[in-house]
Amino acid sequence: MSTDQMQGATVVAPLPAPLRGSTSVPGDKSISHRAVLFAAMAEGTSRLSGVLDSEDVRSSIGAVRALGAEVSLEKAADGSLCGGVTGWGARGPRQPDGPIDCGNSGTTARLLMGVLAPWDVRVELTGDESLVKRPMRRITAPLMKMGARFLPEGRETLPITVCGSRRLRAISYDAPMASAQLKTAVLLAGVFAEGTTVLNEPAPSRNHTELMLPEFGVDTTAADRTASVTGPARLEACEVQVPGDPSSAAFIACAAAIRPGSSVQVENVSLNTARIGFVRTLERMGADVSVRHTGSAGKEPYGVISVSHTPNLRGCEVPAEKIATIVDEVPVLALVAAHARGVTVFREVSELRVKETDRLAAVIEGLGELGVDAWADGNDLFVEGQPGLRTPAGVSFDSKGDHRLAMTWALAGLCGTAPVEVKNFDSVKISYPQFLSDIERLAR
């Protein structure tokens, strides 16, 4: 084993061998959330398979149960959840007995605001100490324009009480940022509003909602930076197969790119173009990476991502309009950039400041522990790479309870030249509980 629990931290040692062979990753977190929530809104019983079993998704499962959905999801042999969800349909969600705790899941909290907005309920949403610091005004502002209310008035963070209304009005809304959570909340409210609700974005964001709503019988238009629904409509139960999560696959792909001798294939992973921006970024860096489509789950394409070690990585520039497609992968791509020749620039990454923690500051701090120069200029992140980077002795990282940072700093040890310590490593349970065992299995 390459890890050892020590005084609340996890010590991660270099892998004994290169990463080789094939693997799969847990179900896509974004699609899993939506499958659970949309099934709860629908009439009848939906059959779900491949659902990610993680703390974040369990927050959504707990929320819809509290609101009256019947959830019968069981653990499958591959560790995913499968089974049925019987929705509340036309009768709407019930008034829960108390506040709904969204845990660490911003997706749960923000999407629930759109789910609850069209109904005569008053539901308090709260979360853990990280989630209650994250901005919610971006979601409440358009929903208030549609006729929902949020208490206390003017509050920008959880806890917030959603006061829904059956008389929502359709709106045309120009979003101030590219955010799939914002877009989804508005579209879900728009399903029950009178007229056509349109959401325009400054750059493309994840389009899982536009692809999945038609599977539930709701006509949805989707273009490069705009989406709309016409209401009132209703969701009908369907079958949803959740493909592997590209954000999880990114960590294995990046590990293979920087660990000498490695060559891996990640199978059955979502190849949604809005989700595999990290592949394009690795290509810009000169990495040996490719994708191959093998099928589709509903309208979601899936296939194989193949990556081999690339000794001559080069710095690149990621333009602002591409950041929405890699927002969760910037930390691990910054670690790859630390191994590249030259400077890598990630443009307009201010969204990193309001994730589970301030990821922008944390990435700069963590790379500094490795002796790598990284800095912010305005909202741009710069990383000056060091080909042949060696891990200093005694490095200690603090994941700050952020799952993406925990996995990134673990890779610094697994693919480095000396053991590192990662505090709060257990946060990986939020999205990829078996991350370490999957990596170690590829190195046997």
Side-chain angles (χ1 to χ4, degrees), residues 54-109:
S54 75
E55 290 182 359
D56 266 18
V57 176
R58 285 192 175 271
S59 289
S60 285
I61 292 171
V64 300
R65 276 190 174 133
L67 293 166
E70 296 176 20
V71 182
S72 302
L73 296 177
E74 304 291 340
K75 198 95 162 177
D78 64 359
S80 68
L81 298 174
C82 65
V85 176
T86 302
W88 51 71
R91 73 177 185 275
R94 73 180 179 208
Q95 181 68 42
D97 295 333
I100 290 180
D101 186 349
C102 301
N104 189 250
S105 178
T107 302
T108 303

Side-chain angles (χ1 to χ4, degrees), residues 37-38 41 60 63-64 67 88 93 100 102 105-127 131-132 134-152 154-165 168 181-192:
L37 292 168
F38 295 7
M41 297 167 65
S60 285
V64 300
L67 293 166
W88 51 71
I100 290 180
C102 301
S105 178
T107 302
T108 303
R110 290 171 175 148
L111 268 56
L112 276 178
M113 291 179 180
V115 171
L116 296 169
W119 302 99
D120 290 328
V121 290
R122 291 169 67 98
V123 181
E124 181 180 331
L125 304 179
T126 189
L131 185 58
V132 298
R134 295 171 67 181
M136 297 293 157
R137 181 74 179 174
R138 60 182 62 178
I139 311 297
T140 61
L143 294 179
M144 284 191 291
K145 290 179 181 293
M146 300 179 77
R149 292 172 54 238
F150 297 88
L151 300 175
R155 185 162 190 129
E156 301 197 0
T157 56
L158 299 180
I160 289 174
T161 297
V162 184
C163 303
S165 169
L168 290 189
Q181 293 174 356
L182 186 164
K183 174 171 61 178
T184 299
V186 171
L187 291 178
L188 292 183
V191 169
F192 299 93

Side-chain angles (χ1 to χ4, degrees), residues 15-55:
L15 292 165
L19 301 169
R20 290 193 169 274
S22 300
T23 191
S24 57
V25 291
D28 185 276
K29 185 156 75 84
S30 296
I31 298 175
S32 294
H33 278 298
R34 285 161 175 78
V36 169
L37 292 168
F38 295 7
M41 297 167 65
E43 200 75 53
T45 300
S46 297
R47 307 299 300 179
L48 313 183
S49 60
V51 173
L52 172 65
D53 186 8
S54 75
E55 290 182 359

